[in-house]
Amino acid sequence: MNLADLTRADWQQAATDTLAATPTGLFLDGDFVVSNDVIESINPADGAVIAAVSAGTADDIDRAVASARASFKGGSWSRMAPRDRMAVMYRFAELVREDGRALAVLDTLDMGKPITAMVEDDLPTVADFIQFCGECIDKIEGRVTNTDSESLHFVRREPYGVVGAISPWNYPMLMAAWKFAPALAAGNSVVLKPAEQSPLSCLRLAQLFVEAGGPAGVFNVVNGLGEVAGKALALHNDVDKISFTGSTAVGKLMLQYAGQSNMKRVSLETGGKSPQVFLDDLPDLDAAVEAAIYGIYSNQGEVCNAGSRLLVERGIYEDFVAAFREKGREEFTVGDPLDPDTMMGPLVTFEAQKRVLGYIEKGQEEGASLEFGGGVPKGLEAGAFVEPTLFADVNNQMTIAREEIFGPVASILPVDGPEEAVEIANDTPYGLAASIWTADVGKAHRFVRDLNAGMVWVNTYDEADFTLPFGGFKQSGNARDSCMESVVSYTQEKAAWINIAE
Ligand code: NAD
């Protein structure tokens, strides 16, 4: 079955079939266990309750961590020969591809992402990334250092043990995979706590890991509320590393929880307010405007590295705003996310819709110029939809330029030359991503040098590959995900010194 050929009716059928067959318990020790507490998963496209999913308590987290610890100690995974572990990861990736119809529809139903984005982006990237992490396994190396002839000093890399992973809802499977796949590849056992807004697909992923030959207890999934299950996991004294993706505010809590408990290692991928800088001498205005439109409206703007601040040099400012106004208003078809023609679905929840509409109101109050959008699209009032929205004449002190909106709201700010552009670009607590658009190679390199961001693109935006470490500076976090370094980051170094004197 080619998923790209399915129609809206086919996807509606897939939704019915999948919801009837998808487990909703906690995945502990290789099996589903039903708990008394539940969270309801709500389809933000129409407000319907689609599933009641077991919600873990602190006791459930204890059980999951105990299962992970026992599997780690037992060595069925942590000491499996690299090539055998690689084979399981490859089979896991293949099963994700085979189960694509169900996995894709679950994330669309849970959080409103258009099905076409699931089929073209999230799903293949999740499968490929699991495979990539498998490929990394026998490339992880230690080192032997230069010592005197009577000693041998070497450094080996070992898995941490039990990794707690806490993931967000904006790419439910993919953000979880960025954690569990490298952690598993490195030989750890994992307890994953997905976001409460999108609990379904990760349960299925953990089941596929076991089907692929992963030992029971190595990959556990406990859904539940952040302040209950997430907090219990991050505070747990038998978790060796916590890997978190989500908001900066909760990321800071992770550091506190680690300090209050066992000083577990903490890796963080948090928020962003990423600038794209467009200089007067950029090579192609239309291409730049198109990238700006996709950089902010893709995934409903619910992207950590959304290019939400567009800094445009005065000489092209009027033309840039006019081109964005003309193309950006119509480019994204908003509608039912199960329709393959839809490019923008609803926001994740009605609460998120309210928050984003609040920012739009604030933008107008503070004097930004609303160029289009700003409301709920006509005919879609039953869902958590927000129109693609553009503000121009924004300055960097306005709330819409400072806070992460996490919705389809673009802000254009005029700038007077490269120096001011760098200053404004860096004037944010975040530092996830940035771009520079210019035909001058010297300027491009100076921006790469001067922008305080973990990723800087030149004359393009949001290009990704497993060769690009994904992660931020400043309050955007400290992790580097989606790359070989991320697999290595789930290991720790042990130094051994051997006296070989006669
Ligand atoms: P969030 O911080 O509200 O929640 C993220 C996860 O943390 C969820 O699983 C949630 O249940 C859990 N959580 C919440 N409170 C907790 C607590 N007190 N203790 C333990 N766990 C807790 O974020 P969100 O709304 O799900 O996701 C959106 C945010 O994620 C945005 O800020 C976005 O920029 C960020 N994000 C960053 C990246 C990146 O790679 N840098 C990627 C995707 C999303």
Side-chain angles (χ1 to χ4, degrees), residues 343-399:
M343 293 171 71
M344 184 181 287
L347 298 187
V348 62
T349 56
F350 291 91
E351 196 188 347
Q353 180 196 39
K354 196 170 154 207
R355 201 175 42 79
V356 172
L357 291 173
Y359 274 116
I360 293 170
E361 221 177 285
K362 193 102 183 153
Q364 290 171 280
E365 275 167 27
E366 291 182 2
S369 162
L370 181 65
E371 300 289 316
F372 63 74
V376 176
K378 293 216 168 29
L380 294 171
E381 292 82 0
F385 293 89
V386 172
E387 290 174 314
T389 298
L390 174 65
F391 281 108
D393 302 340
V394 176
N395 72 56
N396 207 44
Q397 300 319 311
M398 291 178 183
T399 308

Side-chain angles (χ1 to χ4, degrees), residues 11-12 14-15 18-19 100-110 115 118 338:
W11 283 113
Q12 281 163 340
T18 305
L19 285 177
R101 175 174 172 266
L103 289 170
V105 86
L106 284 177
D107 278 359
T108 292
L109 291 172
D110 252 351
I115 195 72
M118 284 306 308
L338 286 179

Side-chain angles (χ1 to χ4, degrees), residues 112-321:
K113 186 193 298 273
I115 195 72
T116 298
M118 284 306 308
V119 169
E120 291 180 357
D121 301 332
D122 293 41
L123 191 65
T125 312
V126 169
D128 291 352
F129 186 58
I130 292 171
Q131 179 171 327
F132 170 83
C133 290
E135 289 161 359
C136 291
I137 291 174
D138 65 357
K139 320 293 181 294
I140 299 173
E141 290 182 335
R143 58 207 154 93
V144 177
T145 64
N146 236 346
T147 46
D148 64 66
S149 62
E150 309 234 299
S151 318
L152 174 68
H153 172 207
F154 65 91
V155 181
R156 48 184 260 126
R157 291 207 156 265
E158 299 182 351
Y160 277 96
V162 176
V163 171
I166 299 181
S167 56
W169 47 262
N170 63 335
Y171 293 81
M173 277 196 289
L174 185 58
M175 291 301 99
W178 276 12
K179 315 199 155 304
F180 69 69
L184 291 171
N188 299 280
S189 291
V190 172
V191 177
L192 168 67
K193 207 299 283 173
E196 50 268 48
Q197 297 85 350
S198 55
L200 292 168
S201 55
C202 287
L203 292 171
R204 216 165 162 118
L205 287 176
Q207 201 178 13
L208 294 180
F209 174 72
V210 172
E211 263 179 64
V218 169
F219 185 5
N220 305 275
V221 178
V222 179
N223 277 303
L225 299 177
E227 295 96 69
V228 180
K231 184 174 176 180
L233 184 61
L235 273 172
H236 205 289
N237 277 313
D238 204 23
V239 169
D240 301 296
K241 171 164 174 156
I242 197 90
S243 175
F244 170 83
T245 298
S247 60
T248 292
V250 178
K252 290 181 181 181
L253 290 179
M254 296 295 135
L255 296 165
Q256 292 183 21
Y257 296 154
Q260 287 161 13
S261 54
N262 60 342
M263 227 203 236
K264 55 180 69 64
R265 303 300 179 261
V266 180
S267 83
L268 302 170
E269 288 282 11
T270 51
K273 193 72 193 173
S274 299
Q276 291 214 59
V277 176
F278 303 90
L279 297 184
D280 285 352
D281 65 359
L282 57 72
D284 181 340
L285 184 72
D286 289 341
V289 169
E290 176 150 336
I293 291 167
Y294 279 82
I296 182 64
Y297 295 149
S298 297
N299 208 44
Q300 300 73 241
E302 297 166 315
V303 181
C304 49
N305 62 307
S308 51
R309 288 187 302 143
L310 307 172
L311 315 187
V312 183
E313 203 176 359
R314 292 269 181 207
I316 55 166
Y317 185 76
E318 293 304 327
D319 290 346
F320 189 98
V321 173

Side-chain angles (χ1 to χ4, degrees), residues 470-485:
F470 189 104
F473 283 10
K474 302 198 282 185
Q475 293 188 37
S476 291
N478 58 10
R480 291 296 176 268
D481 280 347
S482 183
C483 58
M484 174 85 189
E485 289 91 323

